[in-house]
Amino acid sequence: MKEKRFWLRTVILAIMLAAIGYTIYSNVFVEKKAIQVGDSAPDFVLTDLNGNKIQLSDYRGKGVFLNFWGTWCKPCEKEMPHINSQYNVYKNEGVEVIAVNVGEAKVTVQTFVDRFQLTFPVVIDQQDQVMNAYDINPLPTTFLIDKDGKIVDIITGTMTEEDVKKYMERIKP
Amino acid sequence: MEQVKCECGHVNPIGTVLCEACGKPLEEVPALLDMRYEGSARRSQTYNKTIIDKIWNFFSSVKVGVWLIVITLVASAIGTIYPQQMYIPPTVSPAEYYEQQYGLLGKWYYALGFHDLYSSWWYMLLIALIGVSLVICSLDRVVPLYRALNNQRVTRNEQFLQRQRLFSRAKVKHDETAFRNVVDKLTKRGYRVREENGNILAEKGRFSRWGPYVNHIGLIIFLIGAMLRFVPGMYVDESMWIREGEIKEIPGTNGKYFLENKKFIFEVYEKEKEKEAFQAAIDRVGSGMMAKNYQTDVVLYERVGPVVAGEEPKLKKIKSFSIRVNEPLKHDHYALYQVDFKLDELKSMSFHFTDKETNKSFGTITVDLIQPEKEYDLGNGYKVQLLSYFPDFYFDENGNPNTRSKVPNNPAFVFKMFAPDRPKGEVSFTAIRQTIEPLGNNKYKMAFANIETRNVSALTVRRDFTLWILGVGGAIFMIGLIQGMYWNHRRVWIRRMNDEVLVAAHTNKNWFGLKKELEGIFKDTPFVMPIDQADKRS
């Protein structure tokens, strides 16, 4: 009888502990995002400012530094030149940059690109489709995608040039 | 298991206060018995050996449960002192906002998670612990209570009877007709009467004792439903802004569904347009002051073929619908609710290419404010280039024109105007009620001509597979509540001892009702109406 009671209580407590643990863990310690580190990056197709189609899946075998930004976002503006200069170093080592603008007018984006003389492809997510797929909330958000299309890390907030370098190093194939 | 044997022969679990069978007190008890849980052994309070037992016993205490509820209430109250995160301006960082607005208290408010109370780990833990307390408290009480009620005998111990609140003892001659009469009356009033050697146990409404436990089962189901919301796919709660004429992906549908906003309609009650009966009411609030309808006419599309985000979707029309407040568009378990709107957002602006001196116009351009053209050719050598576009213009801290967002709230343009006599072009910065000519005096200007506006509608996207669980939990909760509230568990014992008759009665609530009932039953019989011993004492 005593044995039985002990095990019954243990089982009931364990079940409740598991349920509570899961709830709190999935709520507090996991970002409530549709997309997470370790997932494979959702494929997308967008057109860059020169009219070329950029498809993520074409970049398999290379590391992709996927940056979401807007011209009005000051932190984005700060990190863009860093990304640009590091891109010039790492493009020869198999790291590509795709900068996804969050659906602004082409003229506005073009002005920005000209101002900072960005050399990597800048695409515009006109219908918010890619933003929805990547569940973008704050800007800027950067996804580090490795050569197999897996998301290695998700970075929100401004990056210093040092950070950009470090991140590009991580996805170097 | 250790056990206690009563003199009646019944074997009780250790810790039992009143014998399950005959009711004889097995421990020191007060003169009036505490009948909660029938004096059964709450096992948790008797075994305290392993760590599991200790945890179990902690949660088995009602006192602990009440404290958990009190702490949760206090936390919830504190959470209302400053606004929750969802109500602060979305553009500011909450970490800074609370400190700036409310000082040191605000800083701690944020640090401790009060700003987003329902999502803070410790609040969730409190709710979860209340759940644990509910389960363990209930289990620890319902099982012994069931045992005690199931094992109770008709013939009860003298001590048990005389220590009931309602009790009488009198010399009564045995009278079979009178006895039958009482049994009949009890039966007529819904009592189930059991007899044993001329003794009686009459009982009704025992199921009301299970009310609190049924209620708790409902609560637990409700909590499980709430928990399932965190399981991916069970619960979607998104929102979208969509302009008239736009086709947009519906967020939360993984790119499967698209929505077109045909038209947003906002109507008010106006004096002339309503029936006579409403005139007085309209006069009271003022004509045109009361909203009548918020409506978005939409078309729902499904994407055909594989989903590649960003690709121009192939769409199949599913249905047209008018979404109104409380009349959502429902499809595939998704529901789209009208939630907000914005009237007259700028859609396009027109300008005349004008000679400043003669005011002669050389043509008109219309600039779409979402996707403006790079160049507008007016013919005859007149053309306009758009060098920069700021949809939500302001001068930033460096004095440069910039945009606050991508919403055309305050559009500004840098135009370059070409004319046959100005082949190199003139640059003009044009904003609303503001023109700057950064490179000296121009001959031409872009004179504001016209604007076009459209409405924007905000919709909430919901899919909730937990709703029915919450419904079932809520229903069971109510059933338990009703069960425990509107029925009383009443018992009447009559025991003949030698030439005396002992009458005792017990109810779990509404003693007044029981007394009235007993008066009716014992009237015109030789039995003596039991006296309320609690009255006598005070």
Side-chain angles (χ1 to χ4, degrees):
Chain A
M1 271 306 265
K2 232 181 250 168
E3 280 280 283
K4 201 179 126 196
R5 191 193 65 237
F6 175 80
W7 286 114
L8 193 68
R9 286 181 176 183
T10 309
V11 167
I12 293 173
L13 282 174
I15 290 171
M16 290 193 291
L17 190 72
I20 295 164
Y22 173 77
T23 308
I24 293 180
Y25 174 77
S26 61
N27 241 293
V28 181
F29 300 104
V30 180
E31 282 281 313
K32 260 179 281 176
K33 292 269 178 184
I35 189 160
Q36 282 161 18
V37 172
D39 293 353
S40 73
D43 195 16
F44 64 83
V45 187
L46 288 172
T47 311
D48 73 5
L49 295 172
N50 306 319
N52 304 317
K53 288 220 161 188
I54 305 284
Q55 182 151 11
L56 182 67
S57 50
D58 294 343
Y59 287 73
R60 277 293 154 84
K62 289 177 170 182
V64 179
F65 189 93
L66 179 65
N67 177 258
F68 287 84
W69 67 284
T71 62
W72 70 84
C73 143
K74 287 285 171 194
C76 307
E77 194 178 314
K78 258 180 225 143
E79 68 186 15
M80 267 312 174
H82 305 325
I83 298 173
N84 204 28
S85 62
Q86 288 303 317
Y87 169 65
N88 288 327
V89 175
Y90 278 91
K91 69 179 166 191
N92 302 321
E93 304 197 39
V95 175
E96 292 290 336
V97 171
I98 305 175
V100 180
N101 175 273
V102 294
E104 291 182 87
K106 212 176 152 185
V107 177
T108 312
V109 176
Q110 186 70 61
T111 313
F112 186 93
V113 168
D114 293 346
R115 199 171 122 214
F116 291 99
Q117 302 188 338
L118 306 179
T119 49
F120 45 79
V122 174
V123 293
I124 304 178
D125 184 21
Q126 216 57 261
Q127 289 182 308
D128 299 352
Q129 284 191 47
V130 181
M131 274 183 73
N132 286 340
Y134 280 82
D135 206 359
I136 300 301
N137 188 15
L139 286 182
T141 298
T142 302
F143 290 81
L144 303 182
I145 302 167
D146 70 8
K147 61 180 193 316
D148 305 315
K150 285 258 176 306
I151 297 172
V152 180
D153 206 349
I154 303 171
I155 298 114
T156 53
T158 336
M159 297 178 269
T160 62
E161 181 140 11
E162 228 5 73
D163 292 336
V164 175
K165 186 174 154 67
K166 200 173 69 199
Y167 293 138
M168 288 196 177
E169 194 65 42
R170 276 175 70 184
I171 48 174
K172 206 168 76 177
Chain B
M1 191 193 269
E2 293 165 79
Q3 287 160 332
V4 183
K5 193 169 181 180
C6 176
E7 64 177 35
C8 73
H10 184 77
V11 178
N12 294 287
I14 189 138
T16 304
V17 183
L18 304 173
C19 170
E20 291 173 340
C22 72
K24 181 180 188 296
L26 301 172
E27 294 175 3
E28 281 294 308
V29 289
L32 272 187
L33 292 182
D34 179 2
M35 288 290 283
R36 253 191 311 168
Y37 316 119
E38 297 292 298
S40 60
R42 266 168 294 145
R43 290 173 218 177
S44 56
Q45 303 193 329
T46 39
Y47 304 105
N48 212 349
K49 298 270 159 57
T50 60
I51 180 79
I52 294 288
D53 285 334
K54 287 199 170 108
I55 295 171
W56 188 273
N57 295 351
F58 177 74
F59 285 110
S60 175
S61 157
V62 170
K63 220 184 249 173
V64 167
V66 170
W67 270 111
L68 285 171
I69 292 171
V70 169
I71 294 168
T72 309
L73 280 177
V74 170
S76 306
I78 293 172
T80 65
I81 294 177
Y82 300 138
Q84 289 286 293
Q85 188 179 7
M86 67 179 108
Y87 298 113
I88 71 170
T91 48
V92 296
S93 139
E96 290 163 20
Y97 179 85
Y98 285 98
E99 192 173 358
Q100 274 169 15
Q101 293 285 313
Y102 310 110
L104 197 63
L105 280 176
K107 189 181 170 185
W108 282 102
Y109 195 80
Y110 175 78
L112 294 173
F114 281 106
H115 68 292
D116 192 10
L117 191 63
Y118 296 146
S119 305
S120 77
W121 64 270
W122 58 266
Y123 191 86
M124 273 193 261
L125 189 65
L126 274 175
I127 300 285
L129 292 182
I130 291 175
V132 172
S133 158
L134 269 174
V135 169
I136 293 180
C137 280
S138 300
L139 276 177
D140 256 10
R141 284 164 180 76
V142 75
V143 174
L145 179 63
Y146 175 81
R147 273 184 59 114
L149 289 175
N150 213 32
N151 286 331
Q152 62 176 334
R153 280 189 202 149
V154 175
T155 310
R156 288 243 132 176
N157 184 277
E158 186 182 359
Q159 291 236 30
F160 175 86
L161 294 178
Q162 70 189 13
R163 289 177 183 212
Q164 291 297 320
R165 186 170 152 183
L166 289 182
F167 175 71
S168 72
R169 178 198 290 267
K171 286 198 164 121
V172 180
K173 251 209 276 172
H174 184 70
D175 179 347
E176 189 60 27
T177 355
F179 184 74
R180 281 295 133 217
N181 186 14
V182 167
V183 170
D184 279 352
K185 280 191 190 166
L186 283 166
T187 313
K188 226 172 267 166
R189 286 175 194 268
Y191 284 89
R192 280 178 303 111
V193 182
R194 283 160 66 193
E195 284 179 56
E196 186 183 271
N197 309 325
N199 302 325
I200 282 179
L201 164 57
E203 183 176 13
K204 74 173 174 185
R206 191 197 283 186
F207 87 110
S208 99
R209 292 294 282 271
W210 314 128
Y213 308 105
V214 172
N215 173 274
H216 287 178
I217 290 168
L219 260 178
I220 296 295
I221 292 173
F222 195 96
L223 282 177
I224 289 172
M227 212 174 71
L228 285 177
R229 288 198 162 184
F230 305 125
V231 176
M234 291 294 281
Y235 183 65
V236 171
D237 182 11
E238 302 271 354
S239 62
M240 66 187 293
W241 282 92
I242 183 165
R243 300 181 172 101
E244 285 176 331
E246 262 185 340
I247 298 182
K248 265 182 131 174
E249 181 186 306
I250 302 175
T253 64
N254 300 322
K256 195 175 172 199
Y257 293 106
F258 282 72
L259 196 74
E260 180 179 7
N261 180 355
K262 287 278 188 196
K263 194 172 175 51
F264 174 79
I265 299 165
F266 171 55
E267 290 172 297
V268 290
Y269 287 101
E270 281 170 295
K271 206 159 172 169
E272 308 77 38
K273 291 185 184 164
E274 302 302 327
K275 288 192 190 119
E276 193 60 37
F278 301 122
Q279 296 302 326
I282 291 173
D283 274 339
R284 201 174 62 237
V285 292
S287 180
M289 297 303 286
M290 184 62 77
K292 182 181 178 185
N293 185 23
Y294 305 98
Q295 175 178 330
T296 312
D297 293 339
V298 297
V299 183
L300 178 68
Y301 299 96
E302 187 176 347
R303 183 181 213 147
V304 188
V307 177
V308 180
E311 197 166 44
E312 197 56 44
K314 283 199 193 76
L315 298 178
K316 189 182 83 186
K317 180 177 166 177
I318 295 176
K319 59 177 145 184
S320 298
F321 191 80
S322 294
I323 299 173
R324 306 171 72 185
V325 175
N326 293 332
E327 291 173 27
L329 165 60
K330 287 192 173 172
H331 182 74
D332 188 17
H333 303 291
Y334 287 102
L336 289 168
Y337 292 88
Q338 183 71 54
V339 65
D340 202 354
F341 66 98
K342 181 175 151 194
L343 293 177
D344 300 327
E345 184 185 273
L346 293 172
K347 179 173 184 279
S348 67
M349 283 177 105
S350 312
F351 299 94
H352 298 307
F353 194 116
T354 311
D355 185 316
K356 274 159 70 177
E357 227 157 79
T358 61
N359 259 342
K360 186 175 176 336
S361 169
F362 298 93
T364 307
I365 66 166
T366 300
V367 182
D368 185 288
L369 296 176
I370 300 303
Q371 199 56 271
E373 304 285 330
K374 272 193 91 149
E375 199 172 285
Y376 299 84
D377 199 339
L378 295 167
N380 303 325
Y382 293 93
K383 71 173 183 182
V384 182
Q385 268 181 7
L386 181 57
L387 297 184
S388 288
Y389 169 49
F390 307 97
D392 196 356
F393 154 73
Y394 75 112
F395 281 111
D396 65 15
E397 62 270 16
N398 304 325
N400 295 323
N402 210 326
T403 185
R404 277 181 218 282
S405 69
K406 60 175 177 175
V407 183
N409 290 325
N410 182 24
F413 314 86
V414 178
F415 289 123
K416 195 167 193 186
M417 301 166 286
F418 294 90
D421 55 347
R422 290 288 185 278
K424 283 188 179 156
E426 294 178 336
V427 174
S428 157
F429 179 86
T430 307
I432 291 173
R433 290 193 205 165
Q434 195 173 4
T435 305
I436 298 168
E437 294 171 355
L439 304 175
N441 256 333
N442 290 348
K443 179 165 189 256
Y444 298 100
K445 69 170 179 183
M446 299 306 294
F448 172 75
N450 204 355
I451 55 163
E452 234 187 301
T453 64
R454 59 179 160 182
N455 301 330
V456 195
S457 177
L459 304 170
T460 291
V461 186
R462 279 271 164 76
R463 184 163 70 162
D464 193 348
F465 288 128
T466 68
L467 215 51
W468 68 273
I469 303 173
L470 301 183
V472 168
I476 292 175
F477 178 99
M478 277 312 290
I479 290 169
L481 212 60
I482 291 166
Q483 192 177 337
M485 288 275 263
Y486 291 100
W487 280 269
N488 317 138
H489 180 217
R490 291 177 179 175
R491 275 173 296 175
V492 182
W493 295 272
I494 300 175
R495 181 169 177 190
R496 175 163 288 280
M497 292 186 85
N498 306 322
D499 56 345
E500 282 183 329
V501 169
L502 279 58
V503 179
H506 179 261
T507 180
N508 64 335
K509 55 167 66 85
N510 189 7
W511 290 88
F512 179 79
L514 175 64
K515 283 186 236 171
K516 292 295 270 187
E517 190 168 63
L518 291 180
E519 275 166 20
I521 287 166
F522 291 116
K523 211 173 83 182
D524 307 324
T525 71
F527 295 100
V528 177
M529 169 71 195
I531 296 157
D532 192 336
Q533 306 195 72
D535 281 353
K536 199 168 62 183
R537 220 159 288 268
S538 59

